[in-house]
Amino acid sequence: ILRAAHERPARLLIPFVLDVGDVRLVRDLVREEREDLRKRGIPHAPKLEGGAVLEIPAAFLGVRRLIDEVDFL
């Protein structure tokens, strides 16, 4: 996704998010991959918008915190 988003807009949608921990985990993995691509000299998107899919009813209990962590729901 990071490589494809280098030349065209892309957004990352995270499914089955339960809480902010899920979003932070994915964000950290994307950050690690971005760093790896940078070290290898591979063109990639400098920023990637991320959103969450709230499919688990319990996720709605923490939706206010999720809003602060994602670009879109």
Side-chain angles (χ1 to χ4, degrees), residues 35-56:
E35 181 63 19
D36 183 57
L37 291 170
R38 184 192 65 75
K39 286 179 181 177
R40 294 175 22 206
I42 298 172
H44 60 281
K47 182 174 180 349
L48 186 65
E49 288 186 354
V53 179
L54 304 182
E55 300 167 296
I56 303 169

PDB file of all heavy atoms in Angstrom, residues 35-56:
ATOM      1  N   GLU A  35       9.865   2.925   7.338  1.00  0.00           N
ATOM      2  CA  GLU A  35      11.290   3.075   7.639  1.00  0.00           C
ATOM      3  C   GLU A  35      12.122   2.074   6.842  1.00  0.00           C
ATOM      4  O   GLU A  35      13.179   2.411   6.318  1.00  0.00           O
ATOM      5  CB  GLU A  35      11.529   2.901   9.145  1.00  0.00           C
ATOM      6  CG  GLU A  35      12.963   3.049   9.569  1.00  0.00           C
ATOM      7  CD  GLU A  35      13.548   4.427   9.326  1.00  0.00           C
ATOM      8  OE1 GLU A  35      12.787   5.403   9.158  1.00  0.00           O
ATOM      9  OE2 GLU A  35      14.793   4.539   9.265  1.00  0.00           O
ATOM     10  N   ASP A  36      11.647   0.851   6.723  1.00  0.00           N
ATOM     11  CA  ASP A  36      12.346  -0.157   5.941  1.00  0.00           C
ATOM     12  C   ASP A  36      12.423   0.243   4.469  1.00  0.00           C
ATOM     13  O   ASP A  36      13.480   0.114   3.838  1.00  0.00           O
ATOM     14  CB  ASP A  36      11.645  -1.514   6.096  1.00  0.00           C
ATOM     15  CG  ASP A  36      12.374  -2.619   5.359  1.00  0.00           C
ATOM     16  OD1 ASP A  36      13.585  -2.827   5.641  1.00  0.00           O
ATOM     17  OD2 ASP A  36      11.752  -3.272   4.495  1.00  0.00           O
ATOM     18  N   LEU A  37      11.319   0.727   3.927  1.00  0.00           N
ATOM     19  CA  LEU A  37      11.324   1.176   2.526  1.00  0.00           C
ATOM     20  C   LEU A  37      12.277   2.345   2.331  1.00  0.00           C
ATOM     21  O   LEU A  37      12.997   2.413   1.332  1.00  0.00           O
ATOM     22  CB  LEU A  37       9.908   1.567   2.100  1.00  0.00           C
ATOM     23  CG  LEU A  37       8.906   0.416   1.978  1.00  0.00           C
ATOM     24  CD1 LEU A  37       7.501   0.968   1.792  1.00  0.00           C
ATOM     25  CD2 LEU A  37       9.282  -0.518   0.849  1.00  0.00           C
ATOM     26  N   ARG A  38      12.306   3.262   3.291  1.00  0.00           N
ATOM     27  CA  ARG A  38      13.212   4.411   3.198  1.00  0.00           C
ATOM     28  C   ARG A  38      14.668   3.937   3.173  1.00  0.00           C
ATOM     29  O   ARG A  38      15.459   4.377   2.332  1.00  0.00           O
ATOM     30  CB  ARG A  38      12.991   5.360   4.376  1.00  0.00           C
ATOM     31  CG  ARG A  38      13.836   6.640   4.283  1.00  0.00           C
ATOM     32  CD  ARG A  38      13.825   7.423   5.571  1.00  0.00           C
ATOM     33  NE  ARG A  38      14.465   6.712   6.670  1.00  0.00           N
ATOM     34  CZ  ARG A  38      15.776   6.556   6.838  1.00  0.00           C
ATOM     35  NH1 ARG A  38      16.620   7.052   5.954  1.00  0.00           N
ATOM     36  NH2 ARG A  38      16.261   5.913   7.878  1.00  0.00           N
ATOM     37  N   LYS A  39      15.010   3.019   4.078  1.00  0.00           N
ATOM     38  CA  LYS A  39      16.389   2.511   4.146  1.00  0.00           C
ATOM     39  C   LYS A  39      16.794   1.808   2.864  1.00  0.00           C
ATOM     40  O   LYS A  39      17.960   1.867   2.465  1.00  0.00           O
ATOM     41  CB  LYS A  39      16.541   1.549   5.322  1.00  0.00           C
ATOM     42  CG  LYS A  39      16.565   2.233   6.658  1.00  0.00           C
ATOM     43  CD  LYS A  39      16.695   1.212   7.776  1.00  0.00           C
ATOM     44  CE  LYS A  39      16.687   1.874   9.135  1.00  0.00           C
ATOM     45  NZ  LYS A  39      16.736   0.888  10.236  1.00  0.00           N
ATOM     46  N   ARG A  40      15.856   1.138   2.219  1.00  0.00           N
ATOM     47  CA  ARG A  40      16.140   0.409   0.979  1.00  0.00           C
ATOM     48  C   ARG A  40      16.040   1.295  -0.259  1.00  0.00           C
ATOM     49  O   ARG A  40      16.298   0.841  -1.374  1.00  0.00           O
ATOM     50  CB  ARG A  40      15.201  -0.790   0.867  1.00  0.00           C
ATOM     51  CG  ARG A  40      15.497  -1.809   1.954  1.00  0.00           C
ATOM     52  CD  ARG A  40      14.571  -2.991   2.044  1.00  0.00           C
ATOM     53  NE  ARG A  40      13.835  -3.301   0.850  1.00  0.00           N
ATOM     54  CZ  ARG A  40      12.654  -3.928   0.849  1.00  0.00           C
ATOM     55  NH1 ARG A  40      12.097  -4.298   1.980  1.00  0.00           N
ATOM     56  NH2 ARG A  40      12.038  -4.181  -0.270  1.00  0.00           N
ATOM     57  N   GLY A  41      15.664   2.560  -0.070  1.00  0.00           N
ATOM     58  CA  GLY A  41      15.580   3.489  -1.190  1.00  0.00           C
ATOM     59  C   GLY A  41      14.399   3.254  -2.106  1.00  0.00           C
ATOM     60  O   GLY A  41      14.432   3.621  -3.280  1.00  0.00           O
ATOM     61  N   ILE A  42      13.355   2.647  -1.593  1.00  0.00           N
ATOM     62  CA  ILE A  42      12.165   2.350  -2.388  1.00  0.00           C
ATOM     63  C   ILE A  42      11.157   3.490  -2.238  1.00  0.00           C
ATOM     64  O   ILE A  42      10.792   3.841  -1.113  1.00  0.00           O
ATOM     65  CB  ILE A  42      11.537   1.008  -1.952  1.00  0.00           C
ATOM     66  CG1 ILE A  42      12.544  -0.128  -2.190  1.00  0.00           C
ATOM     67  CG2 ILE A  42      10.233   0.752  -2.691  1.00  0.00           C
ATOM     68  CD1 ILE A  42      12.107  -1.457  -1.628  1.00  0.00           C
ATOM     69  N   PRO A  43      10.715   4.079  -3.339  1.00  0.00           N
ATOM     70  CA  PRO A  43       9.727   5.163  -3.252  1.00  0.00           C
ATOM     71  C   PRO A  43       8.439   4.688  -2.580  1.00  0.00           C
ATOM     72  O   PRO A  43       7.962   3.573  -2.832  1.00  0.00           O
ATOM     73  CB  PRO A  43       9.456   5.533  -4.710  1.00  0.00           C
ATOM     74  CG  PRO A  43      10.608   4.996  -5.480  1.00  0.00           C
ATOM     75  CD  PRO A  43      11.087   3.791  -4.721  1.00  0.00           C
ATOM     76  N   HIS A  44       7.896   5.540  -1.722  1.00  0.00           N
ATOM     77  CA  HIS A  44       6.678   5.199  -0.993  1.00  0.00           C
ATOM     78  C   HIS A  44       5.980   6.477  -0.529  1.00  0.00           C
ATOM     79  O   HIS A  44       6.562   7.557  -0.571  1.00  0.00           O
ATOM     80  CB  HIS A  44       7.003   4.304   0.211  1.00  0.00           C
ATOM     81  CG  HIS A  44       7.924   4.943   1.200  1.00  0.00           C
ATOM     82  ND1 HIS A  44       9.287   5.007   0.990  1.00  0.00           N
ATOM     83  CD2 HIS A  44       7.685   5.568   2.363  1.00  0.00           C
ATOM     84  CE1 HIS A  44       9.843   5.626   2.004  1.00  0.00           C
ATOM     85  NE2 HIS A  44       8.895   5.983   2.848  1.00  0.00           N
ATOM     86  N   ALA A  45       4.768   6.321  -0.084  1.00  0.00           N
ATOM     87  CA  ALA A  45       3.986   7.461   0.384  1.00  0.00           C
ATOM     88  C   ALA A  45       4.560   7.973   1.703  1.00  0.00           C
ATOM     89  O   ALA A  45       4.807   7.188   2.617  1.00  0.00           O
ATOM     90  CB  ALA A  45       2.532   7.060   0.587  1.00  0.00           C
ATOM     91  N   PRO A  46       4.757   9.278   1.813  1.00  0.00           N
ATOM     92  CA  PRO A  46       5.253   9.828   3.075  1.00  0.00           C
ATOM     93  C   PRO A  46       4.183   9.798   4.168  1.00  0.00           C
ATOM     94  O   PRO A  46       4.495   9.754   5.343  1.00  0.00           O
ATOM     95  CB  PRO A  46       5.638  11.254   2.716  1.00  0.00           C
ATOM     96  CG  PRO A  46       4.813  11.582   1.529  1.00  0.00           C
ATOM     97  CD  PRO A  46       4.603  10.290   0.790  1.00  0.00           C
ATOM     98  N   LYS A  47       2.932   9.808   3.767  1.00  0.00           N
ATOM     99  CA  LYS A  47       1.833   9.774   4.728  1.00  0.00           C
ATOM    100  C   LYS A  47       0.717   8.920   4.134  1.00  0.00           C
ATOM    101  O   LYS A  47       0.504   8.912   2.935  1.00  0.00           O
ATOM    102  CB  LYS A  47       1.312  11.185   4.999  1.00  0.00           C
ATOM    103  CG  LYS A  47       0.195  11.220   6.031  1.00  0.00           C
ATOM    104  CD  LYS A  47      -0.195  12.625   6.380  1.00  0.00           C
ATOM    105  CE  LYS A  47      -1.279  12.777   7.394  1.00  0.00           C
ATOM    106  NZ  LYS A  47      -2.048  11.674   7.822  1.00  0.00           N
ATOM    107  N   LEU A  48       0.040   8.212   5.012  1.00  0.00           N
ATOM    108  CA  LEU A  48      -1.063   7.360   4.596  1.00  0.00           C
ATOM    109  C   LEU A  48      -2.198   7.556   5.591  1.00  0.00           C
ATOM    110  O   LEU A  48      -2.018   7.322   6.786  1.00  0.00           O
ATOM    111  CB  LEU A  48      -0.609   5.891   4.582  1.00  0.00           C
ATOM    112  CG  LEU A  48      -1.562   4.853   4.034  1.00  0.00           C
ATOM    113  CD1 LEU A  48      -1.814   5.086   2.546  1.00  0.00           C
ATOM    114  CD2 LEU A  48      -0.981   3.464   4.248  1.00  0.00           C
ATOM    115  N   GLU A  49      -3.332   8.026   5.106  1.00  0.00           N
ATOM    116  CA  GLU A  49      -4.477   8.186   5.990  1.00  0.00           C
ATOM    117  C   GLU A  49      -4.973   6.823   6.434  1.00  0.00           C
ATOM    118  O   GLU A  49      -4.952   5.866   5.667  1.00  0.00           O
ATOM    119  CB  GLU A  49      -5.613   8.927   5.292  1.00  0.00           C
ATOM    120  CG  GLU A  49      -5.349  10.393   5.084  1.00  0.00           C
ATOM    121  CD  GLU A  49      -6.556  11.116   4.533  1.00  0.00           C
ATOM    122  OE1 GLU A  49      -7.570  10.454   4.209  1.00  0.00           O
ATOM    123  OE2 GLU A  49      -6.502  12.342   4.434  1.00  0.00           O
ATOM    124  N   GLY A  50      -5.415   6.746   7.684  1.00  0.00           N
ATOM    125  CA  GLY A  50      -5.903   5.486   8.211  1.00  0.00           C
ATOM    126  C   GLY A  50      -7.264   5.644   8.855  1.00  0.00           C
ATOM    127  O   GLY A  50      -7.549   6.650   9.501  1.00  0.00           O
ATOM    128  N   GLY A  51      -8.094   4.641   8.653  1.00  0.00           N
ATOM    129  CA  GLY A  51      -9.428   4.650   9.232  1.00  0.00           C
ATOM    130  C   GLY A  51      -9.741   3.313   9.868  1.00  0.00           C
ATOM    131  O   GLY A  51      -9.008   2.344   9.721  1.00  0.00           O
ATOM    132  N   ALA A  52     -10.847   3.276  10.589  1.00  0.00           N
ATOM    133  CA  ALA A  52     -11.242   2.067  11.304  1.00  0.00           C
ATOM    134  C   ALA A  52     -12.661   1.668  10.929  1.00  0.00           C
ATOM    135  O   ALA A  52     -13.524   2.531  10.751  1.00  0.00           O
ATOM    136  CB  ALA A  52     -11.154   2.301  12.807  1.00  0.00           C
ATOM    137  N   VAL A  53     -12.864   0.361  10.826  1.00  0.00           N
ATOM    138  CA  VAL A  53     -14.197  -0.183  10.618  1.00  0.00           C
ATOM    139  C   VAL A  53     -14.659  -0.720  11.975  1.00  0.00           C
ATOM    140  O   VAL A  53     -14.001  -1.579  12.563  1.00  0.00           O
ATOM    141  CB  VAL A  53     -14.197  -1.331   9.589  1.00  0.00           C
ATOM    142  CG1 VAL A  53     -15.597  -1.886   9.410  1.00  0.00           C
ATOM    143  CG2 VAL A  53     -13.636  -0.853   8.268  1.00  0.00           C
ATOM    144  N   LEU A  54     -15.759  -0.194  12.461  1.00  0.00           N
ATOM    145  CA  LEU A  54     -16.281  -0.628  13.757  1.00  0.00           C
ATOM    146  C   LEU A  54     -17.347  -1.689  13.528  1.00  0.00           C
ATOM    147  O   LEU A  54     -18.520  -1.386  13.357  1.00  0.00           O
ATOM    148  CB  LEU A  54     -16.851   0.565  14.524  1.00  0.00           C
ATOM    149  CG  LEU A  54     -15.890   1.733  14.749  1.00  0.00           C
ATOM    150  CD1 LEU A  54     -16.553   2.828  15.553  1.00  0.00           C
ATOM    151  CD2 LEU A  54     -14.622   1.253  15.416  1.00  0.00           C
ATOM    152  N   GLU A  55     -16.915  -2.937  13.522  1.00  0.00           N
ATOM    153  CA  GLU A  55     -17.818  -4.063  13.280  1.00  0.00           C
ATOM    154  C   GLU A  55     -18.148  -4.813  14.560  1.00  0.00           C
ATOM    155  O   GLU A  55     -19.049  -5.634  14.590  1.00  0.00           O
ATOM    156  CB  GLU A  55     -17.174  -5.028  12.279  1.00  0.00           C
ATOM    157  CG  GLU A  55     -16.888  -4.360  10.946  1.00  0.00           C
ATOM    158  CD  GLU A  55     -15.995  -5.184  10.061  1.00  0.00           C
ATOM    159  OE1 GLU A  55     -14.827  -5.408  10.428  1.00  0.00           O
ATOM    160  OE2 GLU A  55     -16.479  -5.599   8.994  1.00  0.00           O
ATOM    161  N   ILE A  56     -17.386  -4.523  15.607  1.00  0.00           N
ATOM    162  CA  ILE A  56     -17.569  -5.199  16.888  1.00  0.00           C
ATOM    163  C   ILE A  56     -18.331  -4.245  17.810  1.00  0.00           C
ATOM    164  O   ILE A  56     -17.870  -3.127  18.072  1.00  0.00           O
ATOM    165  CB  ILE A  56     -16.204  -5.567  17.501  1.00  0.00           C
ATOM    166  CG1 ILE A  56     -15.420  -6.446  16.520  1.00  0.00           C
ATOM    167  CG2 ILE A  56     -16.377  -6.240  18.855  1.00  0.00           C
ATOM    168  CD1 ILE A  56     -13.985  -6.659  16.895  1.00  0.00           C
TER     169      ILE A  56
END
